Amino acid sequence: MSLTEKIPLILDGDPGHDDAIAWVLAKGSGRFDILAVTTAAGNQTIEKTTYNALRVCTLIGLHVPVAKGCPRPLLTDPMNAPSVHGESGLDGPALPEPAFAAQSIGAVELMARVIRSSSEKVAIVSTGPMTNTAAFLMAHPELKSRIRCISLMGGGLLYGNWTPAAEFNILVDPEAAKIVFDSGVPILMSGLDVTEKALVKPADFERIRSLHNPVSDIVWQWLEFFYRFHKTLGYEGAPMHDPCAVMALIHPEVFTMRDYYVQIETCGDYCKGATVPDWYGVTGHAPNACCLMDVNREAFIDCLIDAVSAFKEAGI
Ligand code: RIB
Ligand code: CA
């Protein structure tokens, strides 16, 4: 794909500070034809993440259909993360009120309409629990071949962040994750293995703050808020979990990637929600995911800052 061709894209997430920054990156990069936004319940309730999605889209000038997603996981009980993202799910700087309302149709139907009508295959960037994407795959198997890939933030090949074994997005809806990983759709997996190396450090906040455009003025404050929680855990910066799933599509050169067959643990007392890689091919299964393993942090930050700066130059 040439650098000028735009990738048709659906953004599915649970904003969430890092989801919001991922959407800023997607819009500011200019590399995507963003067709729709769908919201997931995860960081906060579906009502709150949908309100946040509409506010973020208003802030960044992303006037595309936004549809509310599944209000709860496929099988497990709902779980939120107010300790990380606050009661609103996007605590911190004041944001504009939504300039438009969510669609009357739900996320699954919007995904189907967008993918069915696109002349090209559509990529999905999933940055929350994968309930919507799994529900879409179950409801519309005939459209599976029209999906370019699913670039997802989720899991950790070596460890979790919500339990010792499970990362939040997978743990919230492990059955949905299993459906996605078993679907046969090409997967780019940004797990904790790489996202916790994609750290935006305080010195980087200042580079973003110095851009002085309407979006950068918010992004640096989101970063500060997100870092506040992570600093208590000893992080040297704010981990850019969700932006990795966008960056993987437009700047794969800043990552080290490995193909693995990854299974999702959906039961168990200690390992439910684990993403289990077949390191040595002992299952006999072909790999189902291209897993991001490492990142050139400085290059990653430069690409992120380029995207945020675009809101100044292009007035977008
Ligand atoms: O574990 C990190 C993931 O959980 C990110 O997507 C963050 O937004 C939260 O949803
Ligand atoms: Ca998220």
Side-chain angles (χ1 to χ4, degrees):
M1 160 157 281
S2 74
L3 291 179
T4 54
E5 287 176 79
K6 295 199 173 192
I7 303 169
L9 180 67
I10 293 173
L11 293 169
D12 181 77
D14 58 340
H17 294 76
D18 53 334
D19 304 76
I21 295 168
W23 297 1
V24 167
L25 171 61
K27 178 72 162 50
S29 73
R31 295 286 309 282
F32 298 99
D33 179 10
I34 302 172
L35 303 172
V37 169
T38 51
T39 61
N43 285 325
Q44 264 299 349
T45 64
I46 194 66
E47 297 301 336
K48 291 181 177 179
T49 59
T50 303
Y51 175 57
N52 292 341
L54 291 165
R55 295 195 292 167
V56 172
C57 288
T58 299
L59 172 74
I60 66 177
L62 183 56
H63 297 285
V64 298
V66 175
K68 185 188 294 185
C70 302
R72 52 162 299 132
L74 298 181
L75 287 181
T76 56
D77 293 332
M79 184 165 67
N80 299 134
S83 61
V84 183
H85 300 273
E87 274 312 308
S88 73
L90 198 55
D91 282 13
L95 296 177
E97 283 305 303
F100 54 96
Q103 300 286 301
S104 57
I105 58 173
V108 171
E109 180 54 29
L110 181 58
M111 284 177 163
R113 291 186 186 182
V114 163
I115 290 170
R116 188 181 298 120
S117 60
S118 175
S119 59
E120 296 175 59
K121 291 189 176 185
V122 178
I124 297 174
V125 162
S126 172
T127 57
M130 290 176 246
T131 314
N132 296 333
T133 303
F136 167 73
L137 290 169
M138 288 194 292
H140 296 282
E142 77 286 357
L143 294 175
K144 187 161 69 168
S145 63
R146 302 300 302 147
I147 302 172
R148 177 190 177 107
C149 70
I150 298 170
S151 186
L152 60 93
M153 191 282 141
L157 300 183
L158 293 171
Y159 58 90
N161 64 358
W162 215 256
T163 71
E167 177 276 328
F168 181 78
N169 286 341
I170 307 294
L171 182 64
V172 169
D173 199 339
E175 286 77 15
K178 177 173 177 52
I179 289 166
V180 171
F181 274 80
D182 290 352
S183 68
V185 174
I187 288 172
L188 271 172
M189 174 182 164
S190 295
L192 298 173
D193 320 277
V194 70
T195 68
E196 294 201 329
K197 298 170 187 169
L199 294 175
V200 184
K201 299 180 178 178
D204 306 314
F205 303 173
E206 288 312 312
R207 290 177 62 190
I208 292 174
R209 184 176 184 167
S210 68
L211 294 174
H212 295 305
N213 71 47
V215 173
S216 63
D217 288 346
I218 299 296
V219 167
W220 78 263
Q221 296 182 74
W222 282 337
L223 288 165
E224 277 215 332
F225 181 94
F226 202 46
Y227 178 47
R228 214 173 296 163
F229 167 81
H230 290 89
K231 189 176 182 181
T232 65
L233 301 179
Y235 286 72
E236 293 179 7
M240 289 294 94
H241 299 301
D242 296 338
C244 281
V246 172
M247 196 72 80
L249 289 171
I250 51 178
H251 289 290
E253 74 279 1
V254 307
F255 296 104
T256 303
M257 303 180 180
R258 296 276 186 281
D259 292 339
Y260 290 110
Y261 177 61
V262 177
Q263 295 172 283
I264 309 297
E265 180 55 83
T266 57
C267 55
D269 297 330
Y270 305 108
C271 294
K272 182 174 182 178
T275 47
V276 184
D278 181 4
W279 297 112
Y280 302 108
V282 297
T283 66
H285 286 282
N288 59 352
C290 176
C291 303
L292 279 63
M293 306 302 290
D294 203 350
V295 61
N296 176 333
R297 194 194 74 84
E298 289 71 23
F300 180 98
I301 298 298
D302 288 346
C303 294
L304 177 62
I305 290 174
D306 281 349
V308 179
S309 69
F311 290 90
K312 178 176 184 176
E313 283 131 24
I316 54 177

